[in-house]
Each structure stands twice: as C-alpha cells, then as structure tokens.
Amino acid sequence: MKIVDARVVLTSPGRNFVTLKVETDEGVTGLGDATLNGRELAVVGYLRDHVVPLLVGTDPHRIEDTWQSLYRGAYWRRGPVTMAAIAAVDVALWDIKAKVAGLPLYQLLGGASRERVRTYGHASGRDVPELFDSIRARLAEGYPAIRVQTGVPGLKRMYGVGHDAAPDAARPVVEDWDTAAYLRSLPRVFDAVRQEFGPELVLLHDAHHRLTPIQAARLGKDLEPYDLFWLEDCTPAENQDGLRLVRRHTTTPLAIGEVFNTVFDYQTLVGEQLIDYVRSAVTHFGGVSPLRKLFDFAAQHQIKSAIHGPEDISPVGMAAAIHLDLAIHNFGIQEYAGHTPLTHEVFPHAYTFTDGYLHPGEAPGLGIELDEELASAHPYEPAYLPINRLQDGTIHDW
Ligand code: EZ4
Ligand code: CO
C-alpha cells in the first residue's frame, strides 16, 4: 500500500479548521486535524511545502516510522506548528490503518476500557445571574461536569466569558486584566455557585495561565472549600519548577498542558506528580501515537487524562480524542465544547454525545468524513486570539 497524495483543506464553517486528507493507491483515505487557532496558515504551509512531498510514495501502515522521520528529520525539534502538522499525519495514518482492519480506531488501541466517555462543558457569565443561567443550560444539555468562568467586577472583557470565547477580529482583541480583582472575586463566585447548585455538581475552573506561582497557591487554597475537580492552567507552566510552590500550598487538584506539544514539557510536572491531569490535545501533541505514550508515563504517577476539547479542535481531532479516551485505562475526563451545526455538516461523524457522555461509534477508522464541497463554500477568515493589557497598558504576563 502506498500514499499517492495528501491534501490540506482549510475551511471556516464558523471558525477555521485545517484538515489533512491522505489518499492511498487502494482508494482508502485518512483524515487528520492540524488546526492551530490564530496561526492556521503557518501549519498549512508547513504541511503543503515540507510534509506532503515526503509522504507521497511511502507505506501508510508504517505510522511510528513516519512519525519518527518527520519529527527527527526536521532537525528543528518540537513547537506547535511542527507538532500540529505531524499530528495530522499521525491521525490520518491511524484512520487508514483502522479502516483497512475494518475496525473502529479504539479497537486498535487496546479496545474499550469503559462504556462511555464522561465530559465537561463550559458555563460562563459576565455576572453571577448570567453564570447561573449558563450553568442551568449546560445541565439541561446533560453535562455531568461544568467549567465555570465569570467576569470580574471592573473588567470590561474577559477571555472565556460569553461571546469573547471566540476570536472575532482580523487583529487581536485587547482585553483588560487585574489579578488582584480576579483573586478577590473568584472564591465569592464559587461560594454562590455551591449555595445555588449544591455540593455534588462537578465544577472546574480555567485560570488561562494568568497567575504567578504564589498567586496560584493562594487561589488554590481559597478555592479548597468549594471542592473543585480541578484548577486549570493556574500559571504559564513552561516554568515547571514553579508548580512545586503551588503544590506545597494547596490540595486543589491541578490540570495543565493544553499549550504543551511534547512529553519534554511534562518531565518535571509528571515526574514529580505536581499535577493531577494532563491536558494536551491529540491535534497539538503530534497525534495519537505520542499522546498515548504520555498517558502511559502519567499513569505511573496516578495522573489522569483530560484531553483538550475546545471549539477550535475540529471534529476530526475530537474523534481521535474520543477513541483514545475510550481505550486508555487512566482516563479522567474529556472537555467537550461542541461545534456549530454547520461544522457538524462539514464533518459528518460517527461519534455521539448523549446525556453528557461521548462515544466514538463503531464505524471503521476514526468514523469521520469531510464534505469538501461544503468546506470550500466556507473559506478561511483571518482571526486571532485576544491579548491582555493591564490598566497602565502593559501586556499581561500570561
Ligand atoms: O484557550 O482553545 O480549556 N480550554 C481553553 C481554550 C483555549 C483555546 C485556545 O485556542 O482554554 O478555550
Ligand atoms: Co484551558
């Protein structure tokens, strides 16, 4: 079997997605997600100019060998652009291998370790009443766990709250930030949520890398009475040593890793058990092959999976995540923000979301298709993630 072509499809059915379609001489095709929010064209160029020419003529069954040759052959190691491109190849080749086997991908990864995949959804509001409405909406959709984000009094726009969650401009939106106000307000918000919704609802919060280790330590302590499932990205965690300080001061569980792209980013965090959940996406970590290795490393330290699943992971990347979630033993939870109806039309899929739980379905491969005609009717639109500035204009150190 040989790869005869690979094409990059860029589409924007509501937001931008980069998809690699690998074609073989036997007619079997595979899909992989390479979406890097706000930097999509960099990955398109990397794939088209540097990866596709190397793939044509190779055996699609040699997934590990292809992965190693792309990773080591680049000489320039790691980084989100490279790893998103390699991820798309890895996932497309797993799709092909599973289709040839006539099995859903999870069967090739060891088979199901559970019946279904628990998710959490996103609730947010500029103030507490709006937040409560949002939590009620997620509960009505069946979500068994909910990430809670709110506005901070005095701040006009906040990332992850309401409409600001999606990039919406050809230049970055500027948001304002005040760490002291955030640290004062968040425990009060969780107090109100616990009073309204009771002790059993599974609650999470994402700090989006905004704190220093000592600030994160204090927030973790202040949130302990509210029994969070986790506090996410409390610091810019490329300073792995800083997590020792956070860990010494709080028993609030910690989740980190959505911006990480190789196991090297986790050496201290996992090796010293400084976190409880690893958050990397299939799409940004080089694919299913390396992410499975990370989960095996994490399992030795009682750390569980929590694959990143925001709106900017395409349904192709979600499908790959759900197969892994079903197969690995140390599964924790799956983030599931969902997609627009048009996105579901562009990417018809076998996976299902029922009563807050996902299942990859039983179709051979990833169980996902790409409607290229519909995709081409919705071309790329430049969009950026926001930046944060303090009151004096300084870019916030997140
Ligand atoms: O900011 O996916 O946990 N989810 C998140 C996301 C990320 C975006 C970045 O592209 O933090 O909302
Ligand atoms: Co996050």
Side-chain angles (χ1 to χ4, degrees):
M1 199 173 188
K2 290 230 174 323
I3 295 173
V4 290
D5 196 10
R7 285 178 296 112
V8 185
V9 177
L10 182 55
T11 180
S12 190
R15 62 182 313 130
N16 294 315
F17 295 113
V18 180
T19 310
L20 181 70
K21 182 168 185 179
V22 176
E23 296 177 352
T24 65
D25 56 355
E26 295 180 18
V28 183
T29 61
L31 295 176
D33 178 26
T35 307
L36 188 60
N37 193 8
R39 296 292 184 271
E40 295 87 357
L41 299 183
V43 190
V44 171
Y46 193 105
L47 279 167
R48 271 188 194 149
D49 300 338
H50 301 293
V51 173
V52 168
L54 303 178
L55 286 182
V56 173
T58 65
D59 177 356
H61 280 303
R62 298 185 63 182
I63 301 175
E64 183 68 17
D65 184 72
T66 301
W67 194 96
Q68 297 295 343
S69 76
L70 291 175
Y71 180 78
R72 294 174 201 288
Y75 183 76
W76 309 107
R77 300 276 164 90
R78 308 160 65 189
V81 175
T82 297
M83 299 312 288
I86 296 177
V89 176
D90 182 83
V91 170
L93 297 190
W94 276 111
D95 190 19
I96 290 169
K97 188 183 284 293
K99 281 178 183 164
V100 171
L103 292 169
L105 174 58
Y106 76 83
Q107 295 289 13
L108 271 55
L109 302 175
S113 286
R114 54 197 51 76
E115 303 297 320
R116 52 188 190 154
V117 169
R118 177 171 64 153
T119 69
Y120 71 91
H122 295 176
S124 71
R126 281 162 295 182
D127 52 27
V128 168
E130 199 176 285
L131 172 65
F132 283 5
D133 287 347
S134 180
I135 292 174
R136 287 192 191 99
R138 294 296 87 73
L139 290 173
E141 287 160 7
Y143 279 103
I146 296 178
R147 189 189 82 168
V148 165
Q149 309 294 125
T150 51
V152 171
L155 299 185
K156 287 188 291 294
R157 297 179 69 105
M158 262 194 69
Y159 185 60
V161 176
H163 63 89
D164 292 342
D168 56 5
R171 296 190 63 80
V173 171
V174 178
E175 298 173 344
D176 48 0
W177 182 247
D178 180 340
T179 300
Y182 169 73
L183 292 176
R184 276 195 305 275
S185 88
L186 194 68
R188 289 185 213 153
V189 170
F190 271 94
D191 191 50
V193 171
R194 278 289 176 223
Q195 283 189 35
E196 181 73 12
F197 294 94
E200 282 164 22
L201 180 59
V202 178
L203 296 174
L204 307 83
H205 177 72
D206 191 343
H208 287 300
H209 327 266
R210 286 171 169 136
L211 305 175
T212 64
I214 197 69
Q215 291 165 345
R218 173 177 150 200
L219 182 63
K221 271 173 80 167
D222 289 351
L223 292 176
E224 278 171 26
Y226 310 113
D227 189 26
L228 267 62
F229 187 83
W230 76 46
L231 171 62
E232 173 176 337
D233 287 336
C234 60
T235 65
E238 56 264 38
N239 174 13
Q240 293 188 37
D241 296 342
L243 264 294
R244 292 196 193 105
L245 192 151
V246 184
R247 201 63 157 171
R248 272 201 296 275
H249 290 283
T250 182
T251 56
T252 293
L254 302 174
I256 283 180
E258 67 184 50
V259 301
F260 290 175
N261 46 71
T262 68
V263 69
F264 300 103
D265 300 316
Y266 283 106
Q267 275 178 325
T268 304
L269 296 181
V270 170
E272 296 185 26
Q273 203 162 345
L274 299 179
I275 56 175
D276 302 282
Y277 297 91
V278 292
R279 292 273 300 131
S280 290
V282 175
T283 303
H284 303 134
F285 202 77
V288 164
S289 304
L291 197 53
R292 192 162 59 149
K293 295 174 191 173
L294 172 68
F295 292 148
D296 287 342
F297 173 40
Q300 296 171 41
H301 302 273
Q302 295 164 284
I303 296 171
K304 293 188 190 295
S305 75
I307 299 180
H308 194 207
E311 303 88 339
D312 49 283
I313 296 291
S314 87
V316 178
M318 274 308 305
I322 301 164
H323 283 279
L324 254 181
D325 290 331
L326 198 73
I328 59 170
H329 175 249
N330 57 329
F331 169 75
I333 200 164
Q334 173 64 56
E335 183 180 32
Y336 183 60
H339 292 104
T340 63
L342 183 58
T343 301
H344 289 299
E345 264 185 73
V346 172
F347 297 96
H349 51 78
Y351 68 77
T352 52
F353 177 70
T354 314
D355 300 330
Y357 287 76
L358 288 159
H359 191 281
E362 301 297 340
L366 283 174
I368 190 129
E369 283 158 53
L370 170 63
D371 182 334
E372 291 191 56
E373 210 178 300
L374 191 56
S376 67
H378 300 278
Y380 168 74
E381 290 170 23
Y384 292 94
L385 283 152
I387 53 172
N388 278 210
R389 289 187 188 274
L390 306 180
Q391 278 179 338
D392 69 357
T394 309
I395 297 262
H396 182 52
D397 181 23
W398 69 337

